[in-house]
Amino acid sequence: MGPFDLIAAIPLLPLTAFLVILFAGHFTPSALPKCGAIPGILALSGSFIISLSLLPLVYSGNFFNNSIYLWATWSISDLHFGFLIDPLSALMLVVVSLIALLVFIHSLGYMNDQNEQGLFRYYAGLSLFSFSMLSFVISDNLLMSFIFFELVGFCSWVLIGFWFREDAPPKAATKAFLVTRFGDYFFLIGVVAVLVIFGTANFAGPNSFPVLAKSAILSGQTLNGLDPQTWVTIIGLLILGGVIGKSAQFPLHTWLPDAMEGPTPVSALIHAATMVAAGVYLVARIYGFYALSPTTLAIIALVGGFTALLAATMATVKHELKQVLAYSTISQYGYIMLALGAGGYVAGIFHLTTHAIFKALLFLGAGAVIIAMHHDGDMWNMGGLREKLPVTYWCFIFGSLALAGIFPFAGFWSKDEVLLETLNYGLGGSPILLIGYAFGLIAVFVTGFYTFRMIHLTFHGSPRSQAAREPHSLRWNIKLPLVVLGSLSLLAGAINMVPLGEILGIDLSYLHHWLDTAPSNLTAHHYHELTESFSGYHSAYFSSIISAILSLAVAVSGMAFAWKLYQSPNPTESGTVYSTRFNTIYRILMHNYYQDDYQLMIASLTRNKLATFANIFDQKYLDGLVNELSSKSLSLSNSIRRIQTGAVTNYALLLSIGLVLILFIFALLGGWL
Amino acid sequence: MVPISYYILLSAAIFSIGLFGVLTRRNALMFLISIELMLNAANLNFVAFSTLHGNLTGQVFSLFILALAAAEVAVGIGIILVLQRNFSGIDVTKAVTLRW
Amino acid sequence: MLIELVILSAFFSGLFILFSSDENSHKFSFYLSLIPLLGTLIMWINFDGSGNALLNGGKIAFETYVPWLSLGSYSLSWHVGVDGISMPLILLTSILTPLAILSAWTPINERKSQFYGLVLIIEAALFGVFVAFDFFVWFVFWEAVLIPMYFLIAIWGGTRRKYAAIKFFIYTNVASLVMFIGFMALIFGLGDSISSFNLIDISTALHSGQLDGLGFLDASTLKYVAFIALFIGFGVKVPIVPLHTWLPDAHVEAPTPASVILAGVLLKMGTYALLRFNFTLLADVAQKWASIIAIIAAVSVIYGAFLALAQTDLKRIVAYSSISSMGYVLLGLVAYTVYGLGGATFQMISHGLLSGLLFMSVGLIYNATHTRSIEDLSGLADKMPLTSVIFIAGAFGYMGLPLMSGFAAELFIFIGAFGANFPFAKLITAISMFGIVIVAGYLLLTIQRVFFGTFEVKGNPDLALPQIHDLMPLVVILLMIIALGIAPNIFFEMIQDAVEPMVSLLGGISDV
Amino acid sequence: MMETSISDLLVFLFFSGITLLSSAGVVLVKDVWHSALLLGVALLSIAVHYVLLSAEFIAAMQVLVYVGGVLILISFAIMLIRRKMDPKSMTSPSLNMGPHLLRGVGAIAFFLLFSSILIGASFVIPVGFQDGSSITKSIGYAMFGLPGASIHSENFLAAFEIIDIALVAALVAAVMLARRDSGGEN
Amino acid sequence: MSDLVLLLPQLCILSAALLVLIYNTIFRKSTKLTILTLIAVVGSFCSIASAIFLFISQSPTVTIFGDQLVVDGSSLFFSVIISSVTLLVSIASYNYIKPLQNQAEYYSLLLLAAAGMGLMASANSLVIAFVAMELASLPSYALVTYLKNNEGSTESGLKYFLIGALSSAIFVYGSSLIYGATGSLGFTAISESILNTPSLSGLLGIGILMVIGGLAFKTTSVPFHFWAPDAYEGAISPVSAFISSASKAAGFILAFRILIEAFPLDVVSSIGLDWALAIQILAVLTMTLGNFAAALQENVKRMLAYSSIGHAGYVLIGLAALSGSQDTLVIGASMMHLMIYGFMNTGAFLFIALAEHWNVGPTFKDYRGLGSKAPLVSIAMTVFLFSLAGLPTGGGFLTKYVLFMAAVGAGFWWLAAIGAINSALSLYFYTRLVKSLWVDPPISDLNISSKGIPVGIYVAILIAAVVTILSLPFFSPFADFAMAAANILIS
């Protein structure tokens, strides 16, 4: 009974739950009263407990990294499925299984109590998703991650399109899958390139591909036609394609807001905490590879920063509560990308964890509000819910403040660390990161603005609709997850309070140490050395206190500006000065910078113009050619048929002319004349 | 003894006249008669060449041709009678039901 | 002896059914079709072949060699056997036929015994194609497949069945004539270094450079001319883009079970023949023109996918998507690496299963709603949950969702093609990989428009929901697709072993 | 062996003139009856040519079979056919010229081609037969493939056997065709 | 006596013919037809048996009757073809001519024609060739005009006779010129005299071409083919089966023998006449005209007529590709094709005879739905049609592709290519008939059951079908026989 024997159980438990729910649901529905929630909850609590039990093991320094199942034979290292347990994946395991468990519980309230139909399909999809996500987290090679990367996308397609009888969810599901599929196309090329160029796709171990890449760059010999540096950049960018698709970064972010069509627990689990995190987790997982090429890091940072600002601005004008949260998710992941791009590996992971917690909290809170509001998510019909839903209100406040990055909450510590690292490395010799830092800082202001606007419109002021006056009562299964997550978003910051540590002079960066006790070339320190030597990132040791104070001030001023705009007792959308004076900007923001429209236009263009052109070309020319050939030969046969006129004299005439002709030809040839 | 080439030329002339008859006349009997002419031309050829080569193969063979020409005429007239009965006339260009 | 048993059992049961009465011919034909299935399974269990049959050192399993007749200096013989490449294809044929028969129970209700008889005869002919190693024996079976397929399309087909049937018949016949003349030029080019049509002797002769010119063609131009003739001949069957116009008509107008066999196995005849003739016998020519062929493959993939995108008839969509999948096979073949060739053969199997599944489910939808146009259908998932689940699973398998055979095959092909050493290999592979996005595009659009939204069918007929025997074949194929997706080594081990010698033949990069 | 004496030439020219004119007449005259008669004249003149070529037996046969047999047969046929058609007045033989003659260009082309080739051909001096040997006797021997013929010839025994079967066949065929069936069904 | 034993195949048929005549004159009994058919069947059967026995036991290559007749592998091979076609036709004719007049004459003429063709097969001199051709043609003219009060039959008989007479005149004139140039009529003698004393090459050339013209008539190759479509359509189907298979085969063996033995290519090309080129022109024209004209035919029998012209073109490929390197294979292939074509073509025409017997209309539309009414025979017809088209339902597949293979081997790949295009087009019109048999919905007024099953025609069709089908798997006896025959002919 080795310590790591139970790892396989983590993903397999949700898989068994999936199979149980699927078959029981189809054959003996009565066996599962809660339509499959119970097996799901049991499975995930099991996974959560095992993940927790792994933490001390990993902290004491023993890791697990070998292949479990041989998928296909290969020359050097076969294509296989394997597990890699190291501090990063252990941490992520805990976060994913915890949030998944809480979402399952929340679903009891959200789905069962509203007696939705087709719940077996829902819970089966949810458990399949958990299985794929957990397997993705602990996979030990790039191919296995790609496989579960796509499976996760499939589960999100199933779950977004849960209410397939209406019109909007299926369209949203298709759009989600297609946009991520477009990203995965680049990712697949990346995977194939890694397998072909380096011969292996392992993350860790002596012959893992980041190590091979590093030694190739150092030795300088050309690899498969190009020099290693360009290969690393190209492969990095290709994999980045998949990351941008999945984590909804700048060009491929349009699918996330539409994915809100799915049930809110789904949005909470998939489109806030786990699936969207898969992209950035992948970057963290092969950070040793990305650290080798400065251009890729710079691109990641810029994309991240720009997305953070862009999404935040779009969130300021949305009517739907879930839309605001969706855009805030996009912008927060922009921050994590900014951190990773700027060499802040630890900061990225820190913000990833804290964001998972408070975003899940906000989404579950939004779910609670939507139940209370009899399934109406429009903030302009809410207001004054503070007295009626006290528990939800306080948990929601904790989450929002963490999101805005206000002092004691987790968000403050992690977002500040991100900005600190960006500033640090920006000043320390790679000025491009400063642009990222500027984006990040402005985004803090805008985040503060839309967070306060969200709280104020939902909870403060007077109720603006009948449903807001008598909201639906909420049971324990809604409130318990909120309380758990609320407390966590308060305390989670403790794992890495760098500015406080600097003030008190004691080292509080536990997360940093946690990520340092990784296998040989996966430690945070090793990554720091790589970014320094290969990408020229030198830390300028900027004091964390100043940047903390700066970001706090910007956040508070953002909230104050929102308070000034919306503080009138019953604010109306048209009344705010915001919508009158900056009307054009308002319209642009409402239309999400027309991103959706131009992507839709491209899709319909290829579908209607290009495809129909190909079809017509195919029918008219290629098919036409064949038909033309047959009709020509038939008309020729018709004319040949006509030679046989029926009169014997004609036959005799043609016969003799034929004979004389042949005689004449041969007379000429033979030279008899 | 006139040089053989004259005879060959004569037989070629007769052959062509026979062929001319075949091509121009529409009457079945005329067709038959013209073919007789052509066969006779061949016979003349055979006899002429037989003297040229000095062996009798040509002459004996011409006897055979004579016999078979007669046989052919017999069958031909039989067919022409049947034609007369069906198409009431032996004009060859009338019998064109089978064409294309 | 096992191969002859399998072929003869299929053929004579076909004849028996053909002449038997109609009323329970569908049950008889299903049970009879299980015999060849049993035979092939036994063959698979004690399959002891190793290496590539046509290359030296290849040990052919179940080999039988019986002299048949002699034409002047050439002696023809019944030389059949199985190697790593043909074994999976035979299994695919013997599995698909009973399932096709089963799926024919509801739609085919007139002249039933003739239908089932012809299906079994096609199966026998297809076995022949995959086992024959003598050119003339192979050519007999190659042409014999056309006749039953013509009748299947012409008698039980859709509205334009006669046009489609005759077009299919003549198009493929012209192709095989072109191929025949090309191959004969090659045979006589070899002069007296071979005295039989045995493919193994021909390949050893060709590879030891015995080819001297024929008439005004010297050795190398003769090789090029023969390669082009063979490529066009088999290209029509594969189909490769410019020669594909018969496929949509034949597939759409054929009854569902016939189009399952047509898409499932008949297309593989073309790729199998390409593998055996163009890429084993004339390997050096294939290697020299690798980039051009790869470009043709990429065009097939992208152009086929765009064509499918423009279709509104369910069956045409599935038919056109076969063109792009076959484009992938060609890409795999031309890569000339272990993964490329192995992936191509694996893709033949996986595409056979996947297109079979999609055609059968389209058949079920047509039986129920009597319309195939996606504009007339919506919200089917509401009323036909099981069929929609199977179609969606099949569609995702087709798109290359991991843990299904489609993904495994395409991944192997991409790895193989990406690592190939002909110029622009990486660029062409990257471009043709874009196909998976377009395939995902039109399949998802179809699913969304046909299965989701409110239930409403034009002329709202009362749905004839499929019974168990309609759904059973689909479930079986789906399980096989998933099994192959999770454990491709079931076949891939065997294929790799057969493909390895081909690569080392030309000193290609053997590790990719 | 024999140089051509003037008298032979004159005789040849005279008779070939008759043959050519009569055969042209056969082809060009309008009424079939007249062409049949002219055919008789042509055949007789050809028989004379045979005599000139020292093939007397053949000439005799020619006269006997052709003029005697075939011509009579043809005239019977004309009589039979004429009976049905309205008996046109027996006018004097007139040539039927007209555009249809153009179709005869094939024959003329053949003749021109043949004659041009013939001029080019150089003939060897004819071997001819020694004037003592009886041609008819050796024809008889040759007919039955018996040795002992004074002039060499190929063995025609097999041909002889086959020809009689052929004549039997022609007989059966002609009888079948000519006989008037008793209302046979078509 | 030994010479006559060698001629046994021809003699059997001859004696049967004469026996039929004698029997007819003596007995006037009512059951006359069965006896007549019996004689014909027994005669042709024993001729096949004797030919095969002779080949197996002695495989002779000897010239008899003062080397006027030759009995070797190819003459026996072709007399097997001719006698088997006669066998099939005579079996089928039993039912066909039961209601008609002149039954005895029909059988005697049939057998006499067959005897003539048998003799053509073993002719070794132009004399025998001409006489045998006449013996074969005269009865065929009468047979085609058998239905004396049917317009179609008389018209086709007339055309057949007139063109036949014209061609035989041309043949005779040609042979006179050849006699003039070489001084002899025996094939071997001709080739020797051309070799050592070449003279009058112009006349000889014209003579050879005119002889080829005469043979072209017999083998329906362009431009001497005009009679064929009308004759085959007008005549009663068993007769057209007989003529299109047997007389064509006889024409070909005579052409082979004359062109290979009398005018061997290497000898003849010295005088500037490469007749292979002429045959190539004829082959291309015949194939193309035959297949293209057949594509849009409305009348089924006329379509089959044109298809038989097309097949003559294919066999001509064998002759045309002689100047290449694979002579035995090329000639062997065309011989094989003639053998299997004989069975397929006779079978197909006899099916038309069956349809005429059930007075099914002449066009494709009238044949609709025959498959369901008479399945067994329609399957046989489908086998014939697809085998004619070159699909592996019967031996026709092998022979056609071996022919193309031989042409490619001999270096004439373009001939094979033209053959391929034509055979692809032929698939179109053969499938049109198969389509109307099996695919098109049956027309209502097709009542076959009332007429009953004509046993003779059924038996003949089934024999032909069985032979065609079995000739695919068991092709080696045909192939060995043909290759041996070709070997003897070439060397």
Side-chain angles (χ1 to χ4, degrees), chain A residues 73 164-165 181 185 618 623, chain C residues 167 244 339 399 430 453 496:
Chain A
T73 52
F164 63 82
R165 286 176 180 79
R181 182 77 174 180
Y185 159 64
D618 187 67
D623 216 2
Chain C
K167 181 173 177 180
H244 67 287
Y339 259 88
M399 284 181 237
Q496 256 191 333

Side-chain angles (χ1 to χ4, degrees), chain E residues 133-343:
Chain E
M133 226 157 74
E134 284 305 307
L135 172 58
S137 320
L138 291 177
S140 332
Y141 302 148
L143 281 170
V144 171
T145 19
Y146 181 62
L147 300 175
K148 292 212 284 286
N149 354 48
N150 169 317
E151 262 185 13
S153 179
T154 32
E155 182 196 328
S156 56
L158 176 77
K159 287 180 190 169
Y160 187 22
F161 169 73
L162 292 180
I163 301 292
L166 180 63
S167 322
S168 64
I170 290 171
F171 181 86
V172 163
Y173 195 81
S175 41
S176 72
L177 293 178
I178 293 170
Y179 173 68
T182 58
S184 66
L185 286 170
F187 296 156
T188 40
I190 290 174
S191 59
E192 268 144 30
S193 82
I194 296 174
L195 199 62
N196 30 40
T197 60
S199 68
L200 296 171
S201 58
L203 287 186
L204 181 66
I206 293 209
I208 295 171
L209 286 173
M210 289 178 95
V211 161
I212 290 178
L215 295 170
F217 159 74
K218 256 291 176 233
T219 57
T220 68
S221 21
V222 169
F224 291 80
H225 73 289
F226 288 103
W227 62 276
D230 303 352
Y232 294 161
E233 184 188 358
I236 56 172
S237 302
V239 167
S240 16
F242 179 66
I243 294 171
S244 67
S245 320
S247 89
K248 196 184 293 277
F252 269 111
I253 177 61
L254 197 57
F256 288 159
R257 211 177 283 289
I258 290 177
L259 290 176
I260 292 169
E261 283 186 7
F263 310 108
L265 255 183
D266 39 25
V267 164
V268 163
S269 53
S270 64
I271 59 150
L273 173 90
D274 168 10
W275 51 260
L277 181 65
I279 302 291
Q280 278 151 25
I281 299 170
L282 286 192
V284 168
L285 286 176
T286 321
M287 273 193 290
T288 338
L289 185 126
N291 285 301
F292 273 90
L296 289 182
Q297 284 305 334
E298 265 324 304
N299 182 315
V300 174
K301 213 154 127 188
R302 203 169 177 79
M303 180 272 284
L304 268 181
Y306 277 114
S307 99
S308 91
I309 296 173
H311 276 274
Y314 296 134
V315 178
L316 276 175
I317 295 182
L319 208 52
L322 258 185
S323 56
S325 55
Q326 299 278 352
D327 287 0
T328 32
L329 184 62
V330 159
I331 291 296
S334 24
M335 281 188 182
M336 281 183 241
H337 189 65
L338 274 168
M339 168 74 93
I340 306 294
Y341 162 77
F343 284 101

Side-chain angles (χ1 to χ4, degrees), chain C residues 181-202:
Chain C
I181 292 173
F183 193 76
M184 281 306 136
L186 202 65
I187 292 275
F188 286 101
L190 286 171
D192 45 22
S193 68
I194 51 162
S195 69
S196 81
F197 281 79
N198 193 335
L199 292 182
I200 294 148
D201 305 348
I202 296 170

Side-chain angles (χ1 to χ4, degrees), chain A residues 546-563:
Chain A
I546 301 166
S547 92
I549 295 161
L550 182 66
S551 59
L552 184 63
V554 166
V556 167
S557 59
M559 295 182 86
F561 184 68
W563 180 78

